[in-house]
Amino acid sequence: MGLTDNESRVFVALLSGSGRWGFEGMTGYEVAKRSGVPRAKVYEVLRSLVDKGGALTDVRGGRDRYFAVDPGELLRRDVEQATRRAAELGPALDRLRGEGPPRVRLETVEGYDRVLAAVDGVCGRAVRRLFALGLPKHLSRAAESLKVARRRGVLVFVVSYGSVELDVERVFVKHPVSDDEPVDSGVQWLTVVADNVEAVIGQPAPEPTESAIWTTMPTLAATAGELVRQQVMGTELFRLLDERAINLNPALAGLQAMWFNDRIGR
């Protein structure tokens, strides 16, 4: 209720007498005597306490008499008031911060520089984990954003189609893709996923490396994150198999053709 020191003393004084049988309230003089608040101030304090809902007043025998409101009722009022203020304050704070309810976004980003700017934004908003997948020359352009994210304590993992120098937790190197790699390879030139809730997804070949999808759609971002995870697992599997993995390449190439070739040889 936000009582001052004098108001608290007056309230306790009124409350101490309200339990007596036949209690008919207290006069200002009686309140001053019991509470220790000077008579010169007690009526001002009583009026303030009445205004705040902590006391009631009534005229009996030609004199103003004061009664304390039940403490349980005061507590109920305070809880209701606090709940109401919290409900009103939440939207107001959101407006001040420029934040509304979370929006699900799905946009096509056109232009190489705009795609890189979107990647910078995703890296800057990452909180716990950041995954990147792509060609070395494009990952190098995102190197600074990946490094800054790591310096903030974000775990950063990268899958690269070839060797690349990056300041991240770990780089998983897949089979190198040269500039003359067939365009039907399905390689994504650059994909970055933050916390499985936001992603920039580069269009796979044969689409041009000038466009990508930026999304805050959790399902799509998580799918992109799963793609990177599968690439990590596959890369590590091939590394562990070493030379034996060479014999798997023709079979896996045949599987690749199901997605990226119009005709599949048998």
Side-chain angles (χ1 to χ4, degrees):
M1 189 168 58
L3 300 182
T4 66
D5 181 60
N6 281 341
E7 288 168 349
S8 298
R9 292 162 63 186
V10 166
F11 180 75
V12 170
L14 290 172
L15 197 61
S16 66
S18 62
R20 300 201 311 267
W21 182 82
F23 179 66
E24 294 186 352
M26 299 175 68
T27 64
Y29 170 78
E30 292 169 332
V31 170
K33 186 176 179 181
R34 186 179 288 268
S35 67
V37 175
R39 287 184 61 187
K41 297 190 63 174
V42 74
Y43 290 100
E44 178 186 345
V45 174
L46 282 165
R47 283 194 298 272
S48 178
L49 190 59
V50 170
D51 290 341
K52 290 183 177 181
L56 301 173
T57 182
D58 191 20
V59 178
R60 297 187 181 183
R63 304 183 69 181
D64 289 332
R65 293 187 172 272
Y66 299 89
F67 306 81
V69 171
D70 179 69
E73 175 64 18
L74 281 181
L75 180 60
R76 184 188 66 79
R77 289 182 195 170
D78 280 353
V79 170
E80 288 181 353
Q81 186 180 45
T83 303
R84 184 171 60 254
R85 285 181 176 175
E88 295 170 351
L89 190 58
L93 288 175
D94 285 341
R95 287 193 295 272
L96 287 173
R97 290 195 303 259
E99 300 173 359
R103 295 177 58 194
V104 174
R105 306 283 292 273
L106 177 62
E107 298 179 10
T108 299
V109 182
E110 299 286 353
Y112 191 73
D113 290 338
R114 292 189 62 197
V115 173
L116 290 178
V119 168
D120 290 344
V122 171
C123 292
R125 289 184 289 274
V127 176
R128 298 182 63 188
R129 286 182 174 83
L130 190 64
F131 296 96
L133 164 69
L135 297 168
K137 61 182 179 181
H138 304 306
L139 288 169
S140 295
R141 294 289 298 273
E144 184 64 23
S145 297
L146 296 172
K147 180 177 73 173
V148 171
R150 188 191 184 199
R151 299 285 171 85
R152 294 198 331 265
V154 179
L155 297 174
V156 184
F157 300 95
V158 174
V159 179
S160 175
Y161 292 95
S163 298
V164 63
E165 292 292 329
L166 296 172
D167 184 0
V168 297
E169 298 294 328
R170 186 171 176 184
V171 177
F172 300 87
V173 179
K174 283 185 68 68
H175 66 280
V177 176
S178 63
D179 290 337
D180 58 354
E181 183 83 9
V183 294
D184 61 353
S185 63
V187 169
Q188 288 186 301
W189 65 280
L190 185 61
T191 290
V192 177
V193 185
D195 302 309
N196 272 4
V197 296
E198 184 180 8
V200 171
I201 307 169
Q203 300 288 355
E207 296 296 326
T209 58
E210 293 290 327
S211 64
I213 293 172
W214 169 61
T215 183
T216 58
M217 187 180 296
T219 303
L220 189 54
T223 301
E226 178 63 16
L227 167 67
V228 180
R229 189 182 76 85
Q230 293 293 342
Q231 295 288 348
V232 168
M233 299 296 288
T235 300
E236 280 298 278
L237 178 61
F238 270 69
R239 185 183 66 81
L240 293 172
L241 288 173
D242 198 17
E243 293 183 359
R244 287 169 292 179
I246 297 175
N247 298 323
L248 294 176
N249 278 330
L252 293 179
L255 292 176
Q256 283 271 87
M258 290 193 297
W259 278 269
F260 302 111
N261 289 355
D262 293 331
R263 295 182 180 180
I264 302 175
R266 295 182 181 275

